[in-house]
Amino acid sequence: MSENVVHLHKDTTPAQPVILTVVPDPEPAVPAESSVVAGPAVEAVDLPGNPLADWLTAPESPVLPVWARSRASVIANVRAFGRLTWWHTRYHGFRTPKYLVKTALLAARGFFRAAAGLWPTLSAQDHSATVKALRAQVKARPEDVDLAVRLQVAHYTRTQARRWRFGAAAAAVAAAALGVALAPPLLQAGMGAAVITPLAYLGRGKETRLLDQAAPPLKVDMSAQQLNEALRAAGLLKSGSGKDEKDLPKVLCTMGPVRDGRGWAVIFDLPRGGGKTASDVLAKREVIAQELGVDEIQVIMSRVRAAKGGNAGRVSMWVADDDPYLGPLNPSPLQKAEKFSIWDAVPFGQDARGNRVAVPVMWQSMFFGGLPRRGKTFSQRLLTAAGLLDAYVRHYVADGKGGADWMPMKAVAHRLVMGAEDDAIEALKAMLQELLAEMERRFALLRDLPTSVCPEGKLTPDIMVKYNLPVTFVTIDELQEYFTAMEREDREQVINDLCRIARRGPAAGFISNFASQRPDAESVPAKLREIITIRYSTQVVDRTSSDMVLGKGKAAQGADASVLSEDHKGVGVLVTGPASFVTVRADYLDGTGFAALCRKGRALREAAGQLTGDAAGDVTAAADAAGLTVPAIVSDALEVMRHSPRMFTTDLLAGLVNLDEDVYGDLNAERLASELETAGVKRTSKQVKISGANGAGYQRRDIEAAVPAEILLSTGR
């Protein structure tokens, strides 16, 4: 009979032993009369009558410690140890002169102690006691000759001992001094160290430290007792009401508390019988932080799920020494990248411990919210910026504010809508209709493809290239500006269109990236927010506002953006699932870096033949790409008039101020006309007619005529 196959099955019930299942070969190569009988699998379970139960029971705990379970973790710890060693080497190296002086002082003290200790021996004090006793006896009995002789002998013995002991000591010191004087310098240093080291050791005291304290005192300390007291104060453990401390319920720490980076880490289980769960602990984050003597931003807590060996009462907690979200900015790795695939997770930022956080955007829709000037738009741009480095990503962008944040997208965007004026709202509605038509066309194409090509009915990288169906990135910033400027019917229609794109679009390769300030029911309806899969919130005013962005009940679970302060720019709470969230310090990508990525994205699309729509016909973007200079006033005026063939002077001035108030804040009609004329703009008419009204204004074609002719030809104008 061939050897049986042994399988290891792990029971799903917690704290159960590993079960060995022995499965005989289906066709045993033994005679029928053999004592081995083929049959169903026999399970050796842990039963009271099983004599092998103790041998077959395997512990559930991992064999290796946490830091040694992966190659990356081992390498990280070795590097951390190397950095620590190098830091200590530099720290103590700079203090070497101080240590030498301190060593010399300790050696001097040690020499004094050694001399004081050796003096009784050198002075033969062991014989002095006998001499003193005999002298006292001679004084009492001077007639005793024998006693006088004994005194003389004792005195002689003491004198001789002193002579040879002092002589031996003097000879040893002289020989040592002569040896040091005649020895080579290196040997002199060694001999000096050999003498000074024991003397310095002898001269030390109980409070004396030769080396300075290298590591500063910990700002935050933690012990199991402190943790229990904090949880008890938060009402998560029974207080005991007069019971002895040893009888009080305590948490079971499965790890720690231990030092972990710049903080303390601990994983603990709540005791059974108390009726409290891990969710209750997360809801008491502020109270626990107060009891531990830290700010709640320093306390990072999460549940440990069953997939990672947890249960409903297991909590992972990390308490930082200080605010983990302050410090130098983290440059986005996208700035140095030449290409990027949008099918990969987008590098987004770092968590409190410095771990990288990446966001998978394929098949997702995203929503960003938060107070103004807290980095909301900068964070939103990171995900769109990743799509710039993929030539097979088509961008549709609308900015309700109409400022400079999204202006560089003119070099890449298939459609770009700026502002929330009437013409911009019409352009937004047309853009959404174009997206819906494209979405339906794609679904029709995907349905007709064979399952061997499209097995799941969704876009794939191969289908994207073969059928020229680039991933479509729909970015809309300041949604509330559009909704508040629209009539009721238009508003409802736009909301429904956005819901359709966010709900059905991902399967066709549509990625929604929306942003708004406090998204109440008036500015961003719940039916749009609730279908968004990924949410990110910078600082908000209260827990209610946080829940509006991140989802109802998230603050109670610990995902609360209201705990962030004004100093936490670019920091927000990222929710990626019903029970998955993390506070992230987003990577930094400023306007200049974003504009550079837009230029790089345009070059990639030109090389791949994917430059389409508004970007292909944009004269200023084409001039920038060609290295030609277009006067700023001409470029900005064309941006303001992007959706209008003609515009009144007052509206053009207002648009320029909104675009860059620092540059155009003091501009008036006369100065505008003068600067445009200086830039080469020749007006065919100073009056324009818009919606039946006549007034002073400009034609877009007159301003475009100031752009170099070769640029106009390259854009097909």
Side-chain angles (χ1 to χ4, degrees), residues 376-432:
K376 169 176 57 66
T377 298
F378 275 53
S379 303
Q380 184 192 19
R381 282 195 318 198
L382 285 171
L383 303 182
T384 300
L388 294 173
L389 298 178
D390 190 335
Y392 278 88
V393 174
R394 183 172 294 170
H395 290 276
Y396 287 73
V397 181
D399 179 14
K401 184 171 61 177
D405 291 334
W406 296 97
M407 194 61 69
M409 287 295 295
K410 65 185 180 182
V412 178
H414 182 82
R415 294 286 179 259
L416 178 61
V417 179
M418 302 298 293
E421 294 76 20
D422 292 343
D423 54 352
I425 290 176
E426 293 300 320
L428 174 65
K429 291 162 59 178
M431 184 183 82
L432 295 179

Side-chain angles (χ1 to χ4, degrees), residues 282-630:
L282 303 185
K284 294 286 188 176
R285 175 185 176 189
E286 184 176 2
V287 180
I288 294 173
Q290 187 273 332
E291 292 296 327
L292 292 175
V294 298
D295 190 87
E296 56 191 301
I297 197 68
Q298 297 173 242
V299 180
I300 313 299
M301 294 191 297
S302 62
R303 286 191 56 182
V304 182
R305 294 289 180 174
K308 297 183 179 180
N311 54 68
R314 181 166 293 183
V315 178
S316 174
M317 177 189 295
W318 186 74
V319 182
D321 294 335
D322 46 27
D323 193 327
Y325 303 108
L326 300 179
L329 298 173
N330 306 315
S332 172
L334 295 172
Q335 286 185 289
K336 297 183 179 180
E338 295 299 324
K339 291 182 179 180
F340 184 81
S341 174
I342 203 63
W343 297 84
D344 298 332
V346 177
F348 187 69
Q350 296 182 0
D351 65 8
R353 305 194 199 191
N355 300 317
R356 292 297 306 174
V357 176
V359 179
V361 297
M362 285 303 299
W363 326 121
Q364 305 294 335
S365 52
M366 296 160 287
F367 186 86
F368 289 75
L371 292 173
R373 291 170 296 280
R374 295 295 185 272
K376 169 176 57 66
T377 298
F378 275 53
S379 303
Q380 184 192 19
R381 282 195 318 198
L382 285 171
L383 303 182
T384 300
L388 294 173
L389 298 178
D390 190 335
Y392 278 88
V393 174
R394 183 172 294 170
H395 290 276
Y396 287 73
V397 181
D399 179 14
K401 184 171 61 177
D405 291 334
W406 296 97
M407 194 61 69
M409 287 295 295
K410 65 185 180 182
V412 178
H414 182 82
R415 294 286 179 259
L416 178 61
V417 179
M418 302 298 293
E421 294 76 20
D422 292 343
D423 54 352
I425 290 176
E426 293 300 320
L428 174 65
K429 291 162 59 178
M431 184 183 82
L432 295 179
Q433 292 302 313
E434 180 181 336
L435 286 167
L436 290 172
E438 173 65 13
M439 185 175 69
E440 296 302 332
R441 184 184 75 85
R442 292 190 178 197
F443 278 126
L445 189 151
L446 294 174
R447 283 194 300 268
D448 292 339
L449 294 177
T451 56
S452 59
V453 177
C454 186
E456 298 181 2
K458 297 192 300 185
L459 188 69
T460 66
D462 293 336
I463 295 175
M464 176 185 70
V465 176
K466 182 176 181 180
Y467 295 94
N468 193 24
L469 301 177
V471 173
T472 302
F473 222 111
V474 185
T475 303
I476 303 180
D477 194 8
E478 305 295 353
L479 269 173
Q480 78 283 348
E481 296 292 334
Y482 291 113
F483 292 150
T484 55
M486 291 179 181
E487 298 293 336
R488 181 182 180 85
E489 291 184 0
D490 288 342
R491 181 173 179 271
E492 290 299 323
Q493 182 61 48
V494 168
I495 291 172
N496 290 333
D497 292 344
L498 291 174
C499 288
R500 289 180 61 190
I501 293 172
R503 186 184 302 111
R504 299 186 60 224
F510 283 63
I511 302 172
S512 300
N513 186 15
F514 303 150
S516 175
Q517 296 177 18
R518 185 177 185 269
D520 53 24
E522 293 297 324
S523 58
V524 183
K527 72 176 183 179
L528 174 59
R529 283 182 279 128
E530 293 305 319
I531 61 175
I532 303 296
T533 53
I534 295 177
R535 305 184 184 198
Y536 182 82
S537 177
T538 56
Q539 185 196 16
V540 292
V541 295
D542 51 30
R543 292 167 68 103
T544 301
S545 299
S546 180
D547 280 351
M548 285 182 178
V549 180
L550 302 177
K552 186 177 181 180
K554 292 299 180 185
Q557 298 177 12
D560 183 9
S562 66
V563 304
L564 301 174
S565 69
E566 293 79 3
D567 297 326
H568 293 131
K569 293 184 178 180
V571 179
V573 180
L574 176 67
V575 173
T576 57
S580 301
F581 63 88
V582 61
T583 301
V584 181
R585 190 180 189 200
D587 293 332
Y588 181 67
L589 178 64
D590 60 9
T592 303
F594 185 67
L597 287 180
C598 288
R599 292 192 295 271
K600 191 179 295 184
R602 183 181 181 92
L604 290 173
R605 283 158 180 77
E606 287 177 339
Q610 291 295 318
L611 190 65
T612 59
D614 293 348
D618 190 282
V619 294
T620 56
D624 292 341
L628 299 176
T629 301
V630 174

